[in-house]
Amino acid sequence: YILMRNVYAAARGKKIGEFGPNDVIRMTIQTLNKMSRDHGISVDKYIFVRDQWSREYQGYYRTHLLRGLYKDTREYITKEKIHEMENDPNVTPEELEDAKLKCYINEVKTESKRIIINSLKDFGVPCIVEGFEFDDIAYIAAAMLYSMDEKPSVIITKDSDLTYSLTPRMDYFKIPTGGSSPQIITYDEMYQTIPDE
């Protein structure tokens, strides 16, 4: 989520070439700094977790389990798609320009992701890459940390599905977006939402 948030923040109101991976990485480091400075979320270690396409399953593991019915409607504009559009007389110049910008944003996102995975670990921020969904890894981590570590941990995201991955030692921090307030949700608060019946 943090990667996507910063890619779109870097791209907002800009044209091709006016932003790039360096802007995204700078904003990502600033985001981590803001967690403690602005929101009081202090940690011994940040660990990025991301969805990972799996070669073994030719997609996400969850897609494999659901037989291709998961995240199968997403479209990624590639250079090949741009070439097809350039040769299609039905595509307007505006549609082509929009597609080129989307393609560039995908390229910036891909390069930024590569830098996060390969280089931020050298600065103490590793990225877990396992071929699973972020949600699945977060749940497994919450369960393992509950049994292994006395210290509390926190999942930092805006994806409210992750509130169902909490434990008594794993909180949820909702990053503020679009003027919303930051929010911490604990296991006890989620437990209280379970209907009595």
Side-chain angles (χ1 to χ4, degrees):
Y1 165 73
I2 289 175
L3 171 65
M4 293 301 296
R5 173 181 188 258
N6 291 333
V7 166
Y8 287 106
R12 189 176 302 122
K14 298 198 176 122
K15 298 176 183 172
I16 293 172
E18 293 181 349
F19 65 96
N22 292 342
D23 300 302
V24 176
I25 299 304
R26 177 181 42 78
M27 293 173 84
T28 300
I29 292 169
Q30 288 172 339
T31 300
L32 298 181
N33 288 335
K34 287 173 77 172
M35 288 297 135
S36 62
R37 185 191 70 211
D38 296 352
H39 307 300
I41 304 295
S42 60
V43 299
D44 291 343
K45 181 159 214 59
Y46 284 107
I47 301 172
F48 280 116
V49 180
R50 70 180 190 96
D51 296 342
Q52 168 68 35
W53 189 90
S54 168
R55 288 186 193 280
E56 180 181 355
Y57 297 108
Q58 295 299 300
Y60 294 117
Y61 180 67
R62 191 178 293 182
T63 306
H64 168 74
L65 289 177
L66 298 174
R67 292 173 172 58
L69 301 175
Y70 183 70
K71 292 189 179 181
D72 59 350
T73 59
R74 293 185 175 180
E75 180 185 23
Y76 295 96
I77 305 292
T78 62
K79 287 185 176 181
E80 292 77 19
K81 177 73 174 172
I82 296 295
H83 184 68
E84 286 175 24
M85 292 176 75
E86 287 172 333
N87 294 318
D88 184 344
N90 297 318
V91 174
T92 67
E94 293 79 19
E95 290 172 330
L96 184 59
E97 282 307 307
D98 183 56
K100 285 181 179 180
L101 180 59
K102 286 179 181 174
C103 181
Y104 181 72
I105 289 171
N106 284 339
E107 290 171 352
V108 168
K109 181 182 77 172
T110 299
E111 179 60 14
S112 299
K113 189 185 296 184
R114 188 192 66 74
I115 293 169
I116 287 172
I117 292 167
N118 295 322
S119 298
L120 282 191
K121 69 182 182 321
D122 297 335
F123 296 93
V125 184
C127 181
I128 295 177
V129 180
E130 289 292 338
F132 291 89
E133 291 288 310
F134 167 68
D135 304 42
D136 300 330
I137 296 172
Y139 176 76
I140 292 167
M144 291 179 70
L145 289 168
Y146 179 70
S147 65
M148 295 170 32
D149 198 342
E150 293 295 319
K151 284 185 171 183
S153 297
V154 62
I155 298 170
I156 301 172
T157 187
K158 77 164 188 116
D159 184 347
S160 60
D161 289 351
L162 273 295
T163 57
Y164 296 97
S165 296
L166 302 182
T167 72
R169 289 196 208 106
M170 178 73 79
D171 292 338
Y172 167 94
F173 177 71
K174 183 177 183 180
I175 296 176
T177 57
S180 68
S181 298
Q183 183 180 12
I184 295 175
I185 299 174
T186 66
Y187 173 83
D188 289 339
E189 290 170 333
M190 283 304 294
Y191 187 82
Q192 295 303 318
T193 68
I194 299 171
D196 287 341
E197 63 271 17

